[in-house]
Amino acid sequence: MPFTLAKVLALLAQPTTIAMIVTGLGILLLQRGKRVRLGARLAWGGFFYLVIAGLTPFGNMLIFPLEERFPVPRIEDGERVAGIIILGGFEDGLVSAERKGLAVNESAERLTEGLRLALRHPEAKVVFTGGVGAIWSREIEATGPVSQFLIDCGIARERIVLEGRSRNTYENAIFTRDLVSPKPGERWFLVTSAYHMPRSMGIFRKAGFDVTAYPVDYRTSGPQDMARFFERISAGLLRTDTAANEWMGLVAYRALGRIGELFPGP
């Protein structure tokens, strides 16, 4: 599927987008005085979804199974690690370029925990993989700022491997595999957000790259969040859309043959 088409479909399929379209259609029908009953149902239905998904634990219920799928691995002292792969998505290339530094978003734990792992294993290569995946706004590739941040934090320049062409997780896996040429028996850690780990692991496995999941950036604190309400509607809607995007991504990638099973696990 073409990249731009996939991005547009993903946007239109987000629950919040659908709710807004449904609400707008309902209001339009009411204004025109046609099919008033249907218009009212659509408008109120979309409105109530936005309130319920925005305030109730619905988003947490969707994202929690994704985050729990892969546990944080136990690493033995002295265990040799060939490489640490940090998936992009935490960086803002445009802001980084304009502000002359490294701008990060709420997924910054991919970088901070990847750095912590790299400092613990000085023998390992440190791979950053992430290009420009936006279609609406201008973005600037961020490998330079990420590399400089790692160097400033004490990672030797010769340990760093940069892959800046990939636009999605599938390309992350393919391009990184071709770049580092992993050997049988080597241990490579894959560092990404816990909710994104099932799809990421499935893609890397399908690409023939044997990696160990190292989930970070948890959005829930545990099962107790299944009863935790959100204080802001926007936060609940974002959580719901994030989780829904991952579940839809699993279905789409399975249909495209990019993962070998619908819900990859350990």
Side-chain angles (χ1 to χ4, degrees):
M1 181 183 298
F3 173 77
T4 302
L5 176 60
K7 285 287 187 178
V8 172
L9 291 177
L11 172 63
L12 294 176
Q14 287 184 352
T16 299
T17 303
I18 294 173
M20 292 176 63
I21 292 173
V22 168
T23 302
L25 180 59
I27 293 174
L28 182 62
L29 290 175
L30 288 172
Q31 285 182 333
R32 293 188 173 185
K34 298 180 179 179
R35 308 194 69 176
V36 174
R37 180 173 297 180
L38 175 61
R41 289 177 177 175
L42 290 175
W44 281 110
F47 171 77
F48 280 125
Y49 169 81
L50 293 173
V51 173
I52 292 171
L55 293 177
T56 72
F58 182 59
N60 287 336
M61 294 177 184
L62 287 178
I63 208 168
F64 183 70
L66 294 165
E67 293 192 328
E68 292 294 294
R69 191 62 168 168
F70 284 87
V72 177
R74 174 177 294 182
I75 307 174
E76 302 295 336
D77 291 336
E79 181 178 1
R80 185 171 182 80
V81 176
I84 298 158
I85 303 168
I86 304 173
L87 289 193
F90 58 83
E91 73 287 353
D92 189 321
L94 179 58
V95 176
S96 296
E98 296 296 332
R99 297 294 181 178
K100 310 304 179 184
L102 176 60
V104 295
N105 55 35
E106 63 178 348
S107 297
E109 207 170 300
R110 299 186 188 188
L111 176 62
T112 57
E113 290 304 307
L115 172 62
R116 189 197 304 272
L117 196 57
L119 292 173
R120 182 176 177 181
H121 294 276
E123 78 283 1
K125 290 289 185 182
V126 183
V127 182
F128 167 70
T129 169
V132 177
I135 57 173
W136 306 118
S137 60
R138 182 178 68 94
E139 276 196 28
I140 299 175
E141 183 265 332
T143 54
V146 172
S147 174
Q148 189 59 54
F149 176 85
L150 292 172
I151 292 171
D152 291 343
C153 290
I155 304 300
R157 190 182 301 272
E158 58 269 19
R159 294 178 60 194
I160 300 173
V161 179
L162 303 173
E163 186 288 296
R165 296 187 298 133
S166 55
R167 300 169 298 175
N168 53 41
T169 312
Y170 173 73
E171 292 183 353
N172 287 149
I174 299 299
F175 295 161
T176 301
R177 178 202 63 194
D178 295 343
L179 187 62
V180 303
S181 302
K183 298 178 177 59
E186 290 183 336
R187 192 170 197 192
W188 290 79
F189 284 112
L190 177 63
V191 181
T192 190
S193 301
Y195 68 83
H196 186 50
M197 190 60 78
R199 183 154 56 110
S200 299
M201 287 296 293
I203 294 168
F204 272 78
R205 286 173 180 170
K206 190 70 174 180
F209 196 162
D210 184 20
V211 293
T212 299
Y214 198 91
V216 298
D217 183 33
Y218 287 87
R219 304 303 168 89
T220 60
S221 61
Q224 62 271 19
D225 279 6
M226 301 305 98
R228 179 172 64 84
F229 282 68
F230 290 92
E231 296 182 358
R232 292 179 291 112
I233 289 179
S234 59
L237 292 176
L238 178 59
R239 181 68 48 81
T240 300
D241 283 349
T242 298
N245 182 71
E246 277 305 310
W247 286 111
M248 289 186 292
L250 285 167
V251 173
Y253 273 47
R254 182 67 184 92
L256 293 171
R258 292 181 174 180
I259 57 177
E261 51 188 327
L262 184 58
F263 193 27

